[in-house]
Amino acid sequence: MTKGFKRTVMAVAFAFSIVGAFNPGSAAAEIKFGTVPRLSEAELQVMCNPLLAYLTAEIGEKVTLVVPKTFDGVMEAVKAGQMDMGFVNPLIYIQIKDKINIEPLALSSEVKSGTRLRGIIIVRKDSGFTKLQDLKGKKFSFVEEDSPAGHIFQKLLLSRAGFNVKSDIIMLPYAKTHDNVAMAVFNKTADAGGVREEQLDKMKGTLDVSQLKIIGFTDYFPNWPFFATPKLKPEMASKIRAALLKLKPNDTQNEKILGPARLTGFIPVTDKEYDELRKAAKVAGAL
């Protein structure tokens, strides 16, 4: 091969690489799947890769993971067209839906909570509190402002029990994790705390949960949904929905696909199922 011919081949290859980089159609066959940065990107890759590989095989187009740097970044990524589909907690779903016309595809089922989850309000057994009304004027610990089962659900419960959630309780600084909320109640830093229902079982090895009791249960709310963004073509959204719904909850054959993500399957879902959560979010000032 002459030097001149080599230079020509290299020039053509370089030209094609430039066209590929700037041609929007060149990446059309890749589906961008986004989720919240609740863990490191490496950990999320391990959790999600088996499911993304399954979806790739089912729909015939490569599905790749996108992880925004912040929780708020998911909304921005959807707005910017950087995601075709997503998987977020129910509160973030309704917050995005309030601004952008996303479409729920399937409702996830978790190992312990299934397709519905609820929160609890806990106190110490020796506190003397026996009912929610005893907690007026008391100190509350919650996880985060936007935590569905560690703040939002509980605010609706308190509101329905006759509380003005802005003035009838003392809000401590957000504890950041469910574990920290339980510890705050255990250590008497807080009189009461809001956590997910299964939290006390999870902490049995690290905390004497026998010293705590549940004083209130919230309603059940739908779990994390998969959703399609406006960028995803309707026919592809239908394929993805069908692929997810083939993974029926508690089918042991799904373990290799869903086990790393701590899921057991999916069921159909409609946006209307999140209306009660919208009420709760408005009470808590999160919507």
Side-chain angles (χ1 to χ4, degrees), residues 34-39 44 66-68 70-71 74 87-89 92 224:
T35 190
V36 293
R38 52 181 166 148
L39 299 170
L44 288 170
V66 173
V67 185
T70 66
F71 278 61
V74 178
F87 181 55
V88 295
N89 77 42
I92 293 177
W224 289 44

Side-chain angles (χ1 to χ4, degrees), residues 1-285:
M1 184 182 291
T2 67
K3 289 184 179 180
F5 185 68
K6 283 183 180 179
R7 284 196 295 270
T8 301
V9 171
M10 291 176 66
V12 171
F14 179 72
F16 273 112
S17 71
I18 294 297
V19 171
F22 289 96
N23 180 5
S26 66
E30 187 169 272
I31 304 296
K32 298 289 188 180
F33 165 77
T35 190
V36 293
R38 52 181 166 148
L39 299 170
S40 71
E41 186 166 350
E43 290 172 302
L44 288 170
Q45 287 281 4
V46 171
M47 289 178 67
C48 297
N49 278 350
L51 176 57
L52 300 190
Y54 163 78
L55 289 174
T56 295
E58 286 288 312
I59 67 176
E61 293 191 14
K62 186 172 179 59
V63 184
T64 58
L65 181 66
V66 173
V67 185
K69 294 187 182 299
T70 66
F71 278 61
D72 290 341
V74 178
M75 172 93 74
E76 298 308 312
V78 175
K79 283 182 180 177
Q82 296 167 350
M83 286 170 48
D84 299 286
M85 57 184 291
F87 181 55
V88 295
N89 77 42
L91 179 66
I92 293 177
Y93 165 76
I94 64 169
Q95 289 173 334
I96 297 174
K97 179 70 173 176
D98 189 52
K99 306 292 183 185
I100 306 166
N101 188 28
I102 58 175
E103 177 190 1
L105 296 174
L107 181 62
S108 66
S109 175
E110 293 186 9
V111 174
K112 288 190 175 181
S113 61
T115 58
R116 296 290 187 272
L117 68 157
R118 65 177 175 176
I120 56 176
I121 293 178
I122 57 173
V123 297
R124 282 189 61 96
K125 280 186 178 177
D126 59 7
S127 65
F129 305 133
T130 60
K131 57 187 183 300
L132 287 176
Q133 285 71 18
D134 294 338
L135 298 176
K136 283 193 175 181
K138 303 305 179 184
K139 294 180 291 184
F140 272 76
S141 178
F142 294 111
V143 179
E144 287 277 12
E145 183 179 9
D146 287 348
S147 173
H151 177 228
I152 306 297
F153 298 173
Q154 286 85 354
K155 283 288 184 70
L156 182 61
L157 174 64
L158 291 170
S159 177
R160 288 176 172 170
F163 285 67
N164 180 326
V165 296
K166 293 182 179 179
S167 60
D168 286 345
I169 62 174
I170 299 169
M171 290 274 293
L172 297 176
Y174 290 109
K176 306 299 183 184
T177 69
H178 291 264
D179 284 10
N180 289 345
V181 170
M183 287 296 297
V185 176
F186 181 83
N187 292 328
K188 302 184 180 181
T189 305
D191 297 305
V195 294
R196 284 185 64 147
E197 181 178 13
E198 64 269 26
Q199 186 61 30
L200 297 186
D201 282 340
K202 287 174 62 177
M203 295 189 72
K204 280 182 178 176
T206 58
L207 185 71
D208 183 6
V209 297
S210 68
Q211 301 301 312
L212 302 176
K213 70 176 181 179
I214 300 170
I215 201 171
F217 290 89
T218 76
D219 291 340
Y220 280 102
F221 295 86
N223 218 323
W224 289 44
F226 268 71
F227 66 87
T229 74
K231 185 184 174 187
L232 190 65
K233 293 179 180 179
E235 59 269 25
M236 184 55 66
S238 295
K239 285 184 180 180
I240 292 171
R241 178 187 285 110
L244 291 171
L245 295 179
K246 283 173 67 174
L247 301 171
K248 300 186 183 305
N250 303 315
D251 184 340
T252 55
Q253 295 183 21
N254 301 338
E255 176 62 28
K256 288 183 180 179
I257 298 170
L258 297 175
R262 305 181 193 118
L263 300 176
T264 67
F266 300 92
I267 65 170
V269 65
T270 64
D271 180 69
K272 187 173 178 58
E273 293 176 55
Y274 290 90
D275 283 351
E276 286 300 305
L277 177 56
R278 290 183 172 96
K279 293 179 185 177
K282 286 174 182 176
V283 168

